[in-house]
Amino acid sequence: MDSFPATDIGGSLLEPYTAVVNLQYKGAVYDTSIRILPQTDTKGLYLAAKVMANIPESTPVSLIRLDHRGEYVTNPRVLNDGELLEILEGSVEESNVVARIAELQSKAGKSASSNTTHSVRGTLQFLHTVEKLKRTKRTGWLNHQIKPAESIADHMYRMSIMALLIDEKTAGVDKNRCIKMAIVHDLAESLVGDITPYDGVTVEDKHTREKNAMHHLCHELLGWTEQAQEIEELWHEYEAAATPEALLVKDFDKFEMIVQALEYEKSENTTLESFFAGTRGKFKHPMVTAWVNELEAERAESRAIKP
């Protein structure tokens, strides 16, 4: 293996050169704690890495350099925390990767009991974090002085009920996947809150904040288990809005909002036209457009008879 030139190991200079990444090899994801560092024999760099990773100085470690999408990594700063490194068969780093996987699997077998304890603790912390969705009120209603306003969890729950109403014979989607997606689509808001277009946050920044939140929930708290992988995959699918299921759940998201808006108009004797105006013409699925038409008719009737 080639070596990087000697690197200044001062704490402030080392940080930008490191990244904790996920390792994929032959279709499987193995690790969430592989730290990419410049490959060098400088003792100080290894010691600094151990300090950063909270590893005792006497513990032997293997700092490896990997291929990223088949290209040789010469500058680790191009890698970001949480990135997926796919190691291709036949790459110059393959032998090192295979050895690292064997090491990880061996350690996993020896510390199964410890991992189980950590897993239970992380799961409980995850559930405590999700509880915040029950207490965090939806920003749009607060901005319109609606009190008491529904919580994020209230919104997600009725969306999940909507998904339960899907008729797979006519809807052309995977019903169970829609239910799961509705349940997880706002999980990141347990950490970042309910960010609206009027909060001065760019779309890109909002997505980055929520992506980092999902990484914390699924990788750090749930330990990147099979279930955690499914949760994060569902969230990314929803965000990308490129599958029939994601598009339908996006419709549910908007429709649940205007259903709630009509209910608040009635209960609070107010007008929330901006919520309806902002969604008109944006619904895609025929099932939801039929619901929207009926809701608009109900609203028109309610406004007509309003004293």
Side-chain angles (χ1 to χ4, degrees), residues 25 35 43 53 81 83-84 87 93 123 130 148 163 178 218 222 234 261 273-274 283:
Y25 179 64
R35 187 173 293 279
K43 178 180 178 182
D81 282 351
E83 278 194 326
L84 183 66
I87 312 306
E93 298 294 334
T123 298
V130 170
C178 288
C218 296
L222 293 180
L234 286 163
E273 173 60 26
S274 61
F283 295 95

Side-chain angles (χ1 to χ4, degrees), residues 192 195-209:
V192 303
I195 302 171
T196 75
Y198 307 101
D199 291 335
V201 179
T202 66
V203 173
E204 293 78 12
D205 188 22
K206 177 178 183 292
H207 179 74
T208 297
R209 294 185 193 184

